Structures are given as C-alpha cells and as structure tokens.
Amino acid sequence: MSSQTITADAAGTWKLGDLPVHRLGFGAMRLTGSAAFHHGTPSDRDRSIAVLRKAIDLGVNHIDTAAFYFSSLRSANELINSALAPYPDDLVIVTKVGPYRTYAGEWGTSARPEDLRGHVEENLRQLGRDHLDVVNLRRMPQYDSIAEHFGALAALREAGLIRHLGISNVTPRHLAEARAIAPVVCVQNRYALDRPDPATDELLRLCGEQGIAFVPFYAVAGDAAEQGATTAHDDDVRAVARAHGASPAQIRIAWTLHQGPNVLAIPGTGNPGHLAENVAAGAIRLTDEELNRLDRPRHEAG
C-alpha cells in the first residue's frame, strides 16, 4: 500500500477526557536509541527531531513519553521539547510516572506516593509545560494496590499540574480501584496479536464498556519488547499483509486498531520511513474473514 498521502486521521479519533486525538499516535521510547532504555546505541539527534516533526506533519496529535525514556545521550522529553515547542494547540502529550532510573541509566526503586510530585515536576521541566495533558500511573509489581499512588496523582490533578489521569500495567481490579478515586481516561497494558492474555482481554472489554481508551504497548514489538519490532510473524500475518500490499508490522497495527473504537495505537520508531508506514497502517481495513484468520491462534491458545 502507498503511504505517501495517508495521515493519522485515517485511523479515526477518540477522546482522552475532553482531548480529541487520532487513534494512531506515536510512542517516543525508540527516539533515544536503536533500542529502548540502556539497550542499543544512542540515536542521531537531528534524525530523532526530524521524526517528531514529520509525525506532526502526518497528523499525529498524540505522543506517548516518559522522563525515564533516555539513553546515554538522548532524552525523549528533551527531544520532544526541542522539536515541537511551542506545541501545536491540538497536540496531546501523555507521560507516565512510577518507575525510576538513575542518571547512570539503571533501574532504581520505584516511586512511593510522596515521590510522585517530583516525577510529575521533572516531566513538566523536561517538556517545558505548566501542566501535563495526561499522566499514567505505571504500576510496579511490588505494589498490589494502586490506591495510595493514584490518590497522590489525583491530588496533583486537583492542584492543576495534571489535566487527566490514566493507569498502566494493571488488572481489572486496579481499574475499579482507581475509578473509585478519580476519573480514568486511559489504560496502558501490554497487548499484542501474538500474546494471548485473557486478563487483559477482560480489561479491554471493561474499557470499551466504560468509554475509556485502551492503549496497548509493544503491539508491534511483540515478544521482542524493548528491543524493537518483532520479525517473528506467522504465516497468517504474512498472508494478510500480502493481500493488502502491506508489511506485517502494518497488519499488527491495523489489528490493534480493529479491537475497538476506543483502542489507540502508539507505535514508536526512530526511522522516518517506518513512521510513514506506521501512520499509513491506520487506513488498513481488515475484513471479518481476515480478523478471524489472525485471531485463530489466540482462540486456540485460550
């Protein structure tokens, strides 16, 4: 398929609270290097800035980032600020707090509730904003309950530092826990075509019923996770890709968007060509027969 004139609006729109976004967004994690976090080699700064500006040119108005997205030389938030400030009026920047990395890049002790204001203010500083559009609380495994952490973010929302709240790496129980404290506009969980997960299927269903955006991460990467996009595509994915003149990665993005009108895709890349392909995937319309074919391995695993 040609990606030359396809823009992000082809994927449709959804609202994060009162903020409309195209359902095809951009994940900033891969901007900082050849792989995420401390893996791989740092990116070329000019190329990363060019990718961000091209994303805006292609109609992307939803960028997902975090202060802990950095390599030895690059910070995703700093790149976003340098490339895009002053920010377009319709741009929604979503960040997340909870995990913590030292300046050396190693993972440290995740935030306690009283630490979250510092995490929020660091994102504000790096992005050059006076408030954050959306902040996701990323639950760390050592915390069974998110009530105290989410309550701390809700207080920062009341103080005007945050406009909307979301949660990440959670179960249906955590969603109920958070909604009892403050409105939740989005849920970010790992979810991909080749990773059957009944618990997350249930969370996706609940988000649809409650009008909450569901935002999968590693939807293209699959089992490769932070290392980058998977190359382990099965025969069904490759066959559907050939039928659409598309790449397997584009089919994985299209499948993600077909999981519900509230599902948003945030594929990330540091490559301008891959960016255009990712955005173009928002225009792919899969048939019921193709969706059944792609879903068959998930059903068999379940």
Side-chain angles (χ1 to χ4, degrees), residues 66-116:
F68 55 84
Y69 287 175
F70 63 87
S71 65
S72 59
L73 293 180
R74 305 280 173 259
S75 155
N77 281 353
E78 187 276 327
L79 288 166
I80 291 167
N81 189 346
S82 296
L84 303 180
Y87 298 107
D89 291 341
D90 67 339
L91 178 62
V92 176
I93 299 177
V94 179
T95 190
K96 61 189 71 64
V97 296
Y100 171 73
R101 293 175 68 207
T102 68
Y103 287 118
E106 299 306 313
W107 292 103
T109 303
S110 56
R112 291 188 49 77
E114 61 268 24
D115 300 328
L116 290 176

Side-chain angles (χ1 to χ4, degrees), residues 181-206:
I181 297 169
V184 175
V185 303
C186 58
V187 172
Q188 274 196 5
N189 264 37
R190 187 169 184 173
Y191 194 73
L193 171 60
D194 54 359
R195 286 181 61 87
D197 183 349
T200 304
D201 285 337
E202 173 64 8
L203 191 58
L204 171 59
R205 184 188 67 79
L206 290 170

Side-chain angles (χ1 to χ4, degrees), residues 8-54:
D9 61 333
T13 60
W14 187 259
K15 282 189 175 182
L16 296 173
D18 61 345
L19 302 173
V21 295
H22 294 139
R23 293 178 59 220
L24 197 298
F26 178 79
M29 186 172 67
R30 294 294 304 280
L31 282 177
T32 64
S34 60
F37 309 128
H38 54 287
H39 305 287
T41 57
S43 63
D44 177 83
R45 177 179 170 78
D46 290 341
R47 187 186 196 199
S48 294
I49 286 176
V51 166
L52 284 161
R53 290 174 176 166
K54 183 170 184 176

Side-chain angles (χ1 to χ4, degrees), residues 236 240 286-296:
D236 290 323
V240 173
L286 301 174
T287 67
D288 289 343
E289 180 180 355
E290 289 170 335
L291 286 168
N292 288 335
R293 181 175 187 179
L294 293 171
D295 286 337
R296 187 170 57 226

